[in-house]
Amino acid sequence: MVTAEIAAAFPALVVALLMAVWAVTIAAGHLRCTDAAREAARAAARGEDLAVVRDVAAEAAPPGAEVAVDEIGGVVEVRVSARMTMPGPLGDTLPAPTVSARSVALAEAG
């Protein structure tokens, strides 16, 4: 009798575990986007080239992240966004949410 109950509950347990792993993956991706935007904004504020700023962001960002850098009136804004697919064999079949972060820094004089 216990075996039948375990067999009935096992698929729900697996789904709950996959959703928990996906939630942690999304949270970690958001933190990585935040770190990447912050580091890239600092590099851009120091006056680094755009290629260097993008490389700095790419190192900290999740794989496949998009980086946008704008400078308007001495203020540098960096936006990093990435699609977070579910880990495992179902990752490509489910819709992937997009996480993003934005960071702003004042450009240093000189």
Side-chain angles (χ1 to χ4, degrees), residues 38 40-49 53 69-78 103-110:
R38 183 190 65 230
R42 284 181 181 171
R46 286 192 307 261
E48 300 288 346
D49 291 335
V53 172
V69 181
D70 294 322
E71 183 175 356
I72 301 171
V75 176
V76 178
E77 178 184 11
V78 178
S103 186
V104 178
L106 291 174
E108 295 179 4

Side-chain angles (χ1 to χ4, degrees), residues 6 8 11 13 24 29 35 43 47 53 55 62 69 71 74 78 80 83 88 94-95 103 105 110:
I6 290 174
L13 179 64
V24 169
D35 290 342
V53 172
D55 288 342
V69 181
E71 183 175 356
V78 178
V80 179
R83 292 179 49 105
L94 297 173
S103 186

Side-chain angles (χ1 to χ4, degrees), residues 11-110:
L13 179 64
V14 169
V15 169
L17 181 63
L18 283 174
M19 296 306 280
V21 168
W22 195 13
V24 169
T25 301
I26 291 170
H30 185 266
L31 288 174
R32 288 183 69 186
C33 283
T34 302
D35 290 342
R38 183 190 65 230
E39 293 299 323
R42 284 181 181 171
R46 286 192 307 261
E48 300 288 346
D49 291 335
L50 185 59
V52 173
V53 172
R54 288 185 186 278
D55 288 342
V56 167
E59 288 179 20
E66 297 177 9
V67 179
V69 181
D70 294 322
E71 183 175 356
I72 301 171
V75 176
V76 178
E77 178 184 11
V78 178
R79 293 178 309 279
V80 179
S81 62
R83 292 179 49 105
M84 303 304 297
T85 59
M86 181 179 211
L90 298 176
D92 295 336
T93 60
L94 297 173
T98 300
V99 294
S100 62
R102 174 181 164 265
S103 186
V104 178
L106 291 174
E108 295 179 4

